[in-house]
Amino acid sequence: MTPPPLPLSLDDLDATHRLAALLAAWAEPGMAILLTGPLGAGKSELARAFVRAWLDDPDAEVPSPTFTLVQPYEGDRGTVWHCDLYRLGDPGEVEELGLLEAFSEAVVLVEWPDRLGTHLPSDRLELALEICHGSDRRLARLTPHGRWIGRLGDIETGTLPGE
């Protein structure tokens, strides 16, 4: 059974970066994070911060995969894929991009996951970002599925599960 979404206030850009770093610490190959929200909500910013934390390189160049659709990064803990599926024409292209294989072997960050159609990975964290108008604040709603259930620990304090 899927737990209800966990709401989390992201008061500024640093809070978004801290959330990304926590998720990178908790993620393992074979897990996905599906990022939803309107343009400008911070999906790409969170994905870039995740990749930099995964690589343990705060200065890593992490370009947007808007035109390439997928961008893989090799790290000590395995591969992370950053995907922007906004321009994906058909869910059938998911297999052509190698995403089905990546879902089992890498950590996969997906912007615009609605383009996946029926190809939703079972071990996924659905992370919806909302803009709080008039401020830099964002509201994140995290819904874990599969192996993400029980992994979030006390997300507001950054306590890992089992500590």
Side-chain angles (χ1 to χ4, degrees):
M1 183 167 169
T2 302
L6 170 70
L8 182 64
S9 179
L10 303 173
D11 294 332
D12 54 26
L13 195 55
D14 287 340
T16 299
H17 291 176
R18 285 191 304 274
L19 173 59
L22 285 172
L23 295 176
W26 296 333
E28 295 178 353
M31 300 173 92
I33 299 175
L34 308 184
L35 301 162
T36 61
L39 289 172
K43 298 180 298 292
S44 294
E45 186 66 38
L46 191 139
R48 284 184 185 104
F50 181 102
V51 170
R52 289 179 179 126
W54 181 266
L55 298 175
D56 195 24
D57 182 356
D59 299 318
E61 186 176 332
V62 183
S64 174
T66 300
F67 295 102
T68 59
L69 301 183
V70 298
Q71 182 66 48
Y73 299 89
E74 294 293 331
D76 292 340
R77 296 173 47 210
T79 305
V80 62
W81 284 38
H82 179 194
C83 309
D84 184 334
L85 303 183
Y86 183 77
R87 300 177 56 132
L88 193 70
D90 181 271
E93 295 175 45
V94 168
E95 195 169 339
E96 292 173 29
L97 291 171
L99 279 174
L100 299 182
E101 188 175 324
F103 285 144
S104 65
E105 298 176 357
V107 174
V108 183
L109 307 169
V110 180
E111 296 183 51
W112 304 101
D114 58 312
R115 309 299 203 269
L116 291 170
T118 60
H119 300 291
L120 289 176
S122 58
D123 294 321
R124 68 186 184 275
L125 176 65
E126 296 174 2
L127 199 162
L129 292 168
E130 298 175 29
I131 300 170
C132 299
H133 293 287
S135 73
D136 291 335
R137 191 173 155 266
R138 302 289 189 262
L139 178 64
R141 294 188 192 281
L142 294 84
T143 307
H145 297 266
R147 289 189 297 147
W148 275 104
I149 294 173
R151 287 222 171 214
L152 299 181
D154 186 349
I155 194 96
E156 293 180 343
T157 63
T159 303
L160 294 170
E163 287 188 345

